[in-house]
Amino acid sequence: MLITETIQALLVPLSLLLLLPSETVAATLGICYGRVANNLPPTSEVVNILKTNGISNVRIFNPDPVTLQSFSGTGINLMTGVPNEVLPSLASGTPASALQWLQTNIFAHIVPSQIRYIAVGNEVLLKDPFYAPHVVPAMVNIYQALKTLNLDNTIKLSSPQAASVLSKSYPPSLGAFNPSLRSVLLPLLNFLRETESPFMVNVYPYFSYTSSTWNHISLDYALFRSNDMVQDGTLMYGNLFEATIDAIVHAIEKEGFAEVGVVVSETGWPKGGGEAASAENALAYNENVVRRVVGNVGTPKRPGVGIEVYLFDLFDENGKSGDECEKHFGIFGLDGIKAYDLRFNSGN
């Protein structure tokens, strides 16, 4: 990183003003609070951990009443999820029934001013394609419900997708969505443009590295320490994180939705349980992501256009299924002590 960028990263606060394609918003560094575990500390302790480390934006995956109540009045902003399995009922209902769902499951437990986003489903196209046709209809009903409450301008809706929605990602300028998913993605993008909401994507260079065929992705490229730059036209890429984001941006632009910004709704690196999974590598990855967010670095395609990012994960989740590494993304131990010395801003 350039010396000037390093100085900038040390001086600027966590929230910065930046220019997204459609409007000026605050650049945000947040963290995901996954709860698929049976040994997590009480949420009241979690709030203290977050405040101690200057983290004021959190993503939760389900609108759990106790969790929401614990965050109420703390000043911490939330992205709260709508579970995939709820999508059919929200889609087939009315704005009035969506309003009732919001009131019962979210607003009865926390003031609306603390809700920054509602994430309608998570990686539906990858994990639960059965629910795919219900995503946008559910979002439309929720949006109309928010409009009834005059909250449509302050609470934005999106539906986080895996980066695998791309059929092409290399080089980034060839980024394109999987044609088989366009029937869902195009209405989603249209909704996002009309409501001035971002496209959310979960970006995991770790999994790209470990699953790459013939090892064409190097560990150094995934960990921001490659000396070999990848040239794409006039642009140069030194890491997979920025290359993936720009591939998404190119794919969105190809579909005619250049106004839609991108939010990284999850990204992280495991510290155990798999190839190249270590605290050292997790620190190397996450600190470079943090530096780019706090320093308002942007990407080669959109330099200086800050990226809103949510790091994954607050704690290890011992109830996660899948590969063993899925359980070991936690940045903090259960005692609230960092598993490695990641600084979220200049003061932590």
Side-chain angles (χ1 to χ4, degrees):
M1 172 170 276
L2 296 175
I3 293 175
T4 53
E5 291 175 350
T6 304
I7 293 173
Q8 183 184 23
L10 291 172
L11 293 178
V12 294
L14 201 58
S15 294
L16 303 157
L17 292 179
L18 63 118
L19 185 65
L20 281 179
S22 59
E23 59 181 346
T24 300
V25 299
T28 298
L29 176 66
I31 195 165
C32 298
Y33 176 24
R35 295 176 50 81
V36 186
N38 61 8
N39 60 349
L40 299 179
T43 309
S44 57
E45 292 182 17
V46 173
V47 169
N48 289 333
I49 293 169
L50 295 167
K51 285 190 167 184
T52 299
N53 288 275
I55 301 168
S56 58
N57 292 274
V58 174
R59 179 184 179 189
I60 60 174
F61 294 87
N62 296 295
D64 174 67
V66 174
T67 302
L68 290 173
Q69 290 164 14
S70 296
F71 278 104
S72 183
T74 62
I76 294 174
N77 300 314
L78 297 180
M79 176 197 306
T80 185
V82 176
N84 292 355
E85 60 270 19
V86 178
L87 298 181
S89 61
L90 286 171
S92 61
T94 63
S97 59
L99 176 59
Q100 183 178 6
W101 188 91
L102 287 172
Q103 297 280 29
T104 302
N105 291 278
I106 299 177
F107 300 142
H109 311 294
I110 192 169
V111 292
S113 60
Q114 282 184 251
I115 304 297
R116 181 177 173 87
Y117 296 112
I118 296 177
V120 183
N122 184 49
E123 296 189 343
V124 171
L125 294 175
L126 173 65
K127 295 179 178 177
D128 293 313
F130 168 78
Y131 296 123
H134 304 290
V135 172
V136 174
M139 295 175 78
V140 169
N141 280 336
I142 295 172
Y143 176 76
Q144 292 298 329
L146 291 174
K147 203 166 184 179
T148 300
L149 299 172
N150 292 318
L151 295 173
D152 51 302
N153 288 322
T154 55
I155 299 177
K156 295 299 181 178
L157 303 176
S158 194
S159 184
Q161 302 299 329
S164 59
V165 293
L166 295 174
S167 59
K168 294 180 181 179
S169 60
Y170 179 84
S173 61
L174 294 183
F177 291 121
N178 186 328
S180 69
L181 304 178
R182 292 178 79 244
S183 62
V184 176
L185 288 173
L186 293 190
L188 173 61
L189 287 166
N190 190 60
F191 174 88
L192 297 177
R193 178 170 62 186
E194 290 182 351
T195 60
E196 298 183 349
S197 302
F199 183 88
M200 291 186 174
V201 61
N202 299 337
V203 178
Y204 285 100
Y206 174 78
F207 292 117
S208 298
Y209 164 71
T210 56
S211 65
S212 63
T213 308
W214 304 301
N215 294 319
H216 71 277
I217 297 174
S218 72
L219 182 60
D220 285 344
Y221 189 60
L223 288 175
F224 297 86
R225 63 189 187 199
S226 177
N227 291 321
D228 298 322
M229 304 293 285
V230 174
Q231 185 168 358
D232 183 10
T234 60
L235 303 179
M236 303 294 288
Y237 289 87
N239 63 83
L240 187 55
F241 176 76
E242 292 174 345
T244 302
I245 294 171
D246 277 357
I248 290 284
V249 171
H250 277 285
I252 291 172
E253 290 183 351
K254 284 186 175 76
E255 301 295 351
F257 297 93
E259 315 95 311
V260 176
V262 173
V263 165
V264 177
S265 39
E266 292 178 33
T267 194
W269 195 281
K271 60 184 188 297
E275 179 187 356
S278 68
E280 179 184 4
N281 287 345
L283 173 59
Y285 178 80
N286 284 325
E287 72 178 357
N288 273 287
V289 172
V290 170
R291 188 177 297 126
R292 279 160 174 75
V293 177
V294 175
N296 210 32
V297 174
T299 65
K301 180 170 172 54
R302 292 179 174 173
V305 179
I307 305 166
E308 184 169 349
V309 173
Y310 290 79
L311 297 177
F312 188 88
D313 194 4
L314 189 56
F315 303 110
D316 285 352
E317 296 181 80
N318 64 8
K320 274 290 192 82
S321 58
D323 295 339
E324 178 64 22
C325 67
E326 297 271 7
K327 303 177 181 180
H328 300 283
F329 277 80
I331 296 171
F332 290 88
L334 299 176
D335 57 2
I337 304 300
K338 292 175 188 174
Y340 45 86
D341 189 23
L342 178 65
R343 296 176 179 267
F344 295 92
N345 56 39
S346 59
N348 305 118

